[in-house]
Amino acid sequence: MNTNRSVIVALSDTHAGHKLGLCNPETILSRENKDGTVTKYEIGHPTEVSQYLWELYSQHVQTVMQIAGGDDLIVFHLGDLTQGNRFGNELISNAIADQFIIAEYNLIPWFLYKNLIAMEIFKGTIAHNFGMGTSDTVTEGYLSRRFPHHKIEALWHGLFNHRGLTMDVAHHGPPIGKRNWLIGNEARYYLKSLIKDEIDHGGVPPRLILRGHRHTLAKETISMFVKDKEIEVTLISLPSYCGFGEYTQQITLHFPFVTNGMVVFEVLDGQIHKTHFLIQTLDIRTRKEI
């Protein structure tokens, strides 16, 4: 174990309860029968998309554990743990509790790693968390009772200092851009504005800014000199572990490619030593011969 080295994982938008969301097939749900008895059962794979996502996610978790190699691990989940009930036509079930249970089971694999030192869950969108960060708070409670010796917390917006590496983490981030050649522009303007806001308020910009919500991977880095000192800040917008449902296809104007995955940072002596993008992109169009 290298005490000067640690690994940070960032993932987002897993949308438990959505037919196209992440779903641990070992999730145990229960149903009350007409005679008052309760039947417990494993949910399995509700859809082919959820099966694909779980297999991809499981591969990524294993890769992270290999990268960590026994060193300390921190997991950031950047929000929208659940689907919520605003778009009810795409739910696995109508039981709200099922979403919380699936969200809990989706995060359990991380606790198999003995050097997990913290899990931070960020409160996401009201349309998906039942308001006031309910899904995130409930999932934190479930996991804390299951793993009482781990640090697990739900919060809206965090500013972290991890062994000298400063990070600003929250769910909602900038638009990515509506045209291929504009991708990253708005993220870059957003990042530049955040840097100037921090400086104007007498602070030092964080080294890393992480955002979710957009289901799209983007990375922008800005370097500038302030009082003869170089400041470099990187913004990363995270992809999701969810397919494109009806609403997503509408707002993306039927964008044909969906990228799923997570981002992994190797931190050495307080600096980002290496960044791993564990991602996979699919063309979701139906191919036909006519």
Side-chain angles (χ1 to χ4, degrees):
M1 178 178 176
N2 186 346
T3 56
N4 295 325
R5 180 182 182 272
S6 57
V7 171
I8 297 173
V9 176
L11 67 149
S12 190
D13 295 273
T14 45
H15 291 268
H18 193 295
K19 290 178 181 178
L20 306 181
L22 190 66
C23 184
N24 185 338
E26 297 179 2
T27 301
I28 298 175
L29 300 179
S30 60
R31 289 291 179 269
E32 185 174 353
N33 304 315
K34 291 182 178 179
D35 61 2
T37 60
V38 174
T39 300
K40 292 185 177 293
Y41 64 97
E42 285 189 357
I43 193 171
H45 291 296
T47 64
E48 289 186 13
V49 173
S50 68
Q51 179 175 358
Y52 161 77
L53 288 172
W54 184 257
E55 291 174 353
L56 181 67
Y57 177 72
S58 298
Q59 293 169 13
H60 290 166
V61 172
Q62 290 302 313
T63 300
V64 169
M65 293 182 180
Q66 292 170 6
I67 292 170
D71 294 333
D72 288 344
L73 176 67
I74 296 171
V75 175
F76 290 147
H77 190 296
L78 269 66
D80 286 359
L81 278 168
T82 60
Q83 173 63 9
N85 56 5
R86 181 169 293 184
F87 308 104
N89 61 314
E90 295 179 328
L91 296 178
I92 292 172
S93 82
N94 291 323
I96 292 174
D98 286 355
Q99 297 193 32
F100 305 145
I101 296 170
I102 296 169
E104 174 195 12
Y105 272 83
N106 283 343
L107 295 177
I108 284 176
W110 296 108
F111 293 89
L112 301 177
Y113 184 77
K114 65 178 182 178
N115 284 352
L116 176 69
I117 62 173
M119 177 174 285
E120 305 288 345
I121 299 171
F122 294 86
K123 300 177 183 181
T125 310
I126 188 172
H128 299 301
N129 66 19
F130 302 96
M132 300 180 71
T134 297
S135 296
D136 317 288
T137 303
V138 171
T139 304
E140 174 204 2
Y142 283 2
L143 289 170
S144 295
R145 286 188 288 274
R146 185 184 288 267
F147 304 104
H149 302 298
H150 285 77
K151 179 185 177 183
I152 308 165
E153 60 182 352
L155 62 162
W156 288 107
H157 192 171
L159 181 60
F160 300 92
N161 186 327
H162 175 64
R163 302 173 184 176
L165 175 66
T166 52
M167 300 168 286
D168 180 307
V169 189
H171 177 68
H172 295 97
I176 304 305
K178 291 185 177 181
R179 299 290 181 269
N180 179 287
W181 56 91
L182 300 178
I183 289 176
N185 282 11
E186 289 193 60
R188 188 170 183 83
Y189 296 144
Y190 172 86
L191 173 58
K192 194 169 185 178
S193 180
L194 285 183
I195 293 172
K196 192 171 189 316
D197 285 341
E198 195 74 60
I199 294 171
D200 287 350
H201 284 81
V204 177
R207 174 66 182 85
L208 183 63
I209 297 174
L210 298 174
R211 295 292 187 265
H213 187 60
R214 299 292 176 176
H215 292 221
T216 305
L217 177 64
K219 177 184 176 182
E220 290 293 327
T221 298
I222 289 179
S223 177
M224 64 174 62
F225 286 88
V226 178
K227 295 182 179 178
D228 298 330
K229 182 179 179 181
E230 184 186 22
I231 294 176
E232 183 176 276
V233 184
T234 296
L235 165 71
I236 296 181
S237 175
L238 295 172
S240 73
Y241 279 98
C242 188
F244 278 3
E246 185 176 350
Y247 177 71
T248 307
Q249 292 189 51
Q250 173 189 330
I251 64 171
T252 63
L253 306 179
H254 284 280
F255 186 69
F257 305 104
V258 56
T259 299
N260 303 113
M262 64 180 70
V263 183
V264 186
F265 305 93
E266 293 184 50
V267 180
L268 184 63
D269 296 324
Q271 302 292 323
I272 299 175
H273 174 65
K274 192 171 184 180
T275 303
H276 304 263
F277 294 92
L278 306 184
I279 57 174
Q280 187 160 293
T281 300
L282 289 180
D283 184 336
I284 59 175
R285 292 171 291 188
T286 301
R287 297 185 179 274
K288 305 282 288 185
E289 293 287 341
I290 297 180

